[in-house]
Amino acid sequence: MVNSEKIKNHYLALLQVVEAEATTNMASHDFLTYLNKYKDQFTSANNTMHSAELKESIRGVNRFADQFVFSAPHDSKIRMLINTLYETLSQS
């Protein structure tokens, strides 16, 4: 069963890391804007009802992230959180 709170927490953590990246890497602002478009979907209390859609969204996030070069302190965290979200959404 997909855990709604896990999804929310991982997405908020991803946003936090990307926000930190955006303070020093202006190019990552587009990625932050993209993530913010999906914030309500990933953080709502009924996010597990739409896990297939969220899984597809996180695939898009992953593909879009590949277009950016993130700084060393944030790159591995961003990739790990995206992968964790995908794995969590796959547990349905």
Side-chain angles (χ1 to χ4, degrees), residues 58-87:
I58 209 65
R59 282 185 184 141
V61 166
N62 190 39
R63 285 190 297 271
F64 196 48
D66 288 341
Q67 297 179 26
F68 296 89
V69 176
F70 301 111
S71 64
H74 298 127
D75 186 63
S76 62
K77 290 179 187 175
I78 291 168
R79 306 291 175 186
M80 184 266 312
L81 286 164
I82 291 170
N83 288 335
T84 301
L85 276 163
Y86 186 80
E87 290 171 9

Side-chain angles (χ1 to χ4, degrees), residues 7-45:
I7 294 168
K8 176 183 172 182
N9 291 339
H10 288 307
Y11 202 80
L12 291 174
L14 176 61
L15 277 173
Q16 185 178 18
V17 174
V18 174
E19 286 171 352
E21 175 70 15
T23 62
T24 58
N25 179 357
M26 295 302 288
S28 65
H29 279 276
D30 288 341
F31 187 59
L32 179 59
T33 300
Y34 185 82
L35 288 177
N36 277 318
K37 284 186 349 184
Y38 295 102
K39 181 179 180 181
D40 290 341
Q41 295 169 347
F42 278 90
T43 60
S44 74

Side-chain angles (χ1 to χ4, degrees), residues 1-2 48 51-52 55 87-92:
M1 182 78 182
V2 177
T48 58
S51 62
K55 188 175 174 183
E87 290 171 9
T88 301
L89 289 164
S90 294
Q91 294 174 359
S92 58

